[in-house]
Amino acid sequence: AQSVTQPDARVTVSEGASLQLRCKYSSSVTPYLFWYVQYPRQGLQLLLKYYSGDPVVQGVNGFEAEFSKSNSSFHLRKASVHWSDSAVYFCAVSIDNNRIFFGDGTQLVVKP
Amino acid sequence: EAGVTQSPRYAVLQEGQAVSFWCDPISGHDTLYWYQQPRDQGPQLLVYFRDEAVIDNSQLPSDRFSAVRPKGTNSTLKIQSAKQGDTATYLCASSFPGLGGHTNTGQLYFGEGSKLTVL
């Protein structure tokens, strides 16, 4: 079985600061990994995904994530956050690209 | 293109009542998912379909929950005899086939959800 842990329920950063949201996964095989974002009153949207190859994947709006097999991690990063990045971010995992399992999310608050 | 549409957006029930949620996926998406998202938790997979067939319903509480997708397009999730523990947002998502059509691309397109409160 696969699972995802997002250890930080809430992260607060100042606008313009860098960001890292943590994600640890558990899987018997190298999984597919995803980051989704949920803006207020909107459905979840895909930010980026990792299948194989280069461990650093680029997503929309300047987000990137780095896969680490040794650490079983897939942390999300952004060099400079904007107030509009305030949202809930979900890390997700799948081993077959069909059943996708989500973590409990990290709420990002960007202070002006 | 139109996104995933869900209705109703909100429902408030007393324990023991029934409710149905409806989902219209993106046209051409063969796979449809229902997730349950309790407050302050991540989405938890209940059931998913490919066309009209149920592929995995192992997490669906079968005694009170049912889901159908009779023509491989729209889907209905029904809860009979609702309990307070069913209070959550019910999310519908759809996806289209990946290369070869055997698996999905992994990108899910979500609706805004149906928020259920059971008193």
Side-chain angles (χ1 to χ4, degrees):
Chain A
Q2 61 271 193
S3 65
V4 172
T5 301
Q6 295 180 249
D8 304 309
R10 183 181 172 104
V11 169
T12 302
V13 298
S14 297
E15 192 167 22
S18 63
L19 169 71
Q20 177 172 277
L21 300 182
R22 296 184 292 164
C23 172
K24 299 274 284 184
Y25 69 87
S26 173
S27 176
S28 56
V29 299
T30 300
Y32 304 110
L33 294 159
F34 311 86
W35 277 97
Y36 280 79
V37 60
Q38 188 172 34
Y39 298 105
R41 295 173 296 282
Q42 294 186 31
L44 280 81
Q45 303 167 31
L46 181 69
L47 268 182
L48 50 78
K49 58 186 178 184
Y50 172 80
Y51 284 177
S52 64
D54 189 338
V56 179
V57 291
Q58 304 296 322
V60 298
N61 297 334
F63 285 95
E64 67 175 27
E66 183 168 4
F67 166 69
S68 171
K69 186 174 182 178
S70 60
N71 293 324
S72 298
S73 68
F74 189 56
H75 301 331
L76 181 71
R77 303 188 299 236
K78 188 171 184 178
S80 176
V81 297
H82 187 265
W83 65 267
S84 60
D85 294 324
S86 296
V88 182
Y89 292 79
F90 292 95
C91 184
V93 63
S94 176
I95 60 170
D96 60 7
N97 236 7
N98 291 312
R99 291 174 298 170
I100 299 173
F101 298 92
F102 290 81
D104 283 339
T106 297
Q107 182 174 11
L108 173 65
V109 176
V110 180
K111 297 189 303 181
Chain B
E1 68 182 1
V4 176
T5 305
Q6 292 187 243
S7 66
R9 292 293 314 280
Y10 302 93
V12 180
L13 306 175
Q14 299 289 333
E15 275 198 320
Q17 290 185 307
V19 63
S20 290
F21 300 116
W22 178 83
C23 174
D24 186 7
I26 293 173
S27 177
H29 284 195
D30 65 341
T31 306
L32 184 146
Y33 301 81
W34 283 103
Y35 282 85
Q36 179 191 60
Q37 185 179 17
R39 183 179 174 85
D40 296 329
Q41 295 185 34
Q44 299 162 14
L45 182 65
L46 290 174
V47 58
Y48 82 97
F49 300 83
R50 180 160 292 116
D51 298 319
E52 67 278 7
V54 173
I55 304 301
D56 185 351
N57 62 358
S58 60
Q59 302 305 309
L60 195 67
S62 57
D63 58 333
R64 297 184 300 107
F65 286 63
S66 62
V68 295
R69 193 185 184 200
K71 297 183 179 179
T73 52
N74 301 334
S75 177
T76 302
L77 175 70
K78 184 173 183 178
I79 306 174
Q80 295 183 336
S81 190
K83 299 181 179 181
Q84 288 186 353
D86 299 332
T87 293
T89 298
Y90 291 84
L91 304 175
C92 179
S94 66
S95 182
F96 56 91
L99 293 177
H102 300 298
T103 62
N104 293 307
T105 62
Q107 179 165 359
L108 303 186
Y109 295 79
F110 282 85
E112 293 182 33
S114 295
K115 186 173 183 179
L116 172 65
T117 301
V118 183
L119 302 175

